[in-house]
Amino acid sequence: LQGGFADVARAALATARSEGVSGEATTGFGAFLRNQFDVRSTTPQEGDSADAVLSRAEDAMAAGRLSDALAEISALPEVARGAMSDWLALAEARADALAAVEMLSTTFSDN
C-alpha cells in the first residue's frame, strides 16, 4: 500500500484538477505549471485542497498510520476518491484485518 500510494495520489490529484474540484487556483501561470508537470506536495501541508489532503495522507502512510490516511482521504472530492478506488479497497481491507486482529488480541488478553 505504501509503495503504490504516490502513483495513486498523483492520479487522484490529476482527476481533481481536471474536474475543477482540487481546491486550488485554476488560472495563472502557477496553475498551468502544476497541471503540466503533475506537481504535488510530498510533505504535509495545511488546508483542505486535494493536494494538502493527499500530502497528509501520504505522511500518515509513511508513518504506518493507515487509519489516519484513510480519514484524510475521506475528505477528498468524490471524483478523486474514485480515482483511488482500487487502492482504497485494498487499504480498507487491510484496516479491517488490523482491527480484527486487535479485537482478537484484546479478547485473548482479557481471558
Side-chain angles (χ1 to χ4, degrees):
L1 289 172
Q2 288 176 334
F5 188 83
D7 291 335
V8 170
R10 188 170 288 108
L13 186 55
T15 299
R17 285 176 175 158
S18 70
E19 295 292 324
V21 295
S22 68
E24 301 169 322
T26 58
T27 59
F29 189 64
F32 172 78
L33 290 176
R34 268 195 315 271
N35 292 335
Q36 292 302 307
F37 295 107
D38 266 344
V39 175
R40 69 179 191 87
S41 299
T42 57
T43 58
Q45 303 295 310
E46 294 292 321
D48 58 359
S49 71
D51 183 47
V53 169
L54 288 165
S55 72
R56 293 190 301 270
E58 185 169 22
D59 183 63
M61 283 299 301
R65 299 185 332 265
L66 179 59
S67 60
D68 291 345
L70 289 171
E72 287 288 351
I73 291 168
S74 71
L76 287 172
E78 187 174 335
V79 295
R81 288 192 317 272
M84 302 179 79
S85 62
D86 292 343
W87 185 91
L88 279 171
L90 292 172
E92 289 166 353
R94 175 142 176 93
D96 290 345
L98 291 173
V101 167
E102 180 63 29
M103 184 178 74
L104 286 173
S105 177
T106 300
T107 301
F108 286 132
S109 67
D110 288 346
N111 291 328

